[in-house]
């Protein structure tokens, strides 16, 4: 396993991965909440399906974030 300490270069690489994972999660939460706020209608499920697809596509970015080992740089 490589050294994943968070130096300046690692931080710059971390930011887009973290942002993508957060946006995918938020998109899913919003789509699911919108779906649940309305009466049942299969025509409105497309947003959730697209959000699940985006979550799946963002999984590698989320895994890279999860594998980061934070340490204080003194």
């Amino acid at each position: 396993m490589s050294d994943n300490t968070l130096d300046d270069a690692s931080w710059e690489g971390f930011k887009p991965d973290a942002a993508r994972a957060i946006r995918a999660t938020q998109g899913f939460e919003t789509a699911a909440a919108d779906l649940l706020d309305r009466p049942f209608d299969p025509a409105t499920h497309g947003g959730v399906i697209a959000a699940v697809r985006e979550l799946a596509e963002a999984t590698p970015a989320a895994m890279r974030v999860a594998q980061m080992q934070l340490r204080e740089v003194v």
Side-chain angles (χ1 to χ4, degrees):
M1 183 174 199
S2 65
D3 178 19
N4 285 330
T5 55
L6 198 56
D7 55 21
D8 287 344
S10 295
W11 176 248
E12 290 305 312
F14 166 85
K15 292 188 310 184
D17 283 344
R20 179 157 191 207
I22 289 167
R23 277 194 219 94
T25 300
Q26 289 174 334
F28 171 76
E29 290 171 348
T30 299
D34 289 348
L35 179 72
L36 295 171
D37 282 341
R38 296 184 177 105
F40 179 78
D41 180 2
T44 62
H45 293 183
V48 174
I49 292 168
V52 169
R53 189 174 298 121
E54 176 57 27
L55 272 176
E57 292 172 2
T59 297
M63 293 301 295
R64 287 190 295 273
V65 169
Q67 292 170 355
M68 292 297 298
Q69 297 175 4
L70 305 179
R71 76 175 165 99
E72 188 175 343
V73 177
V74 224

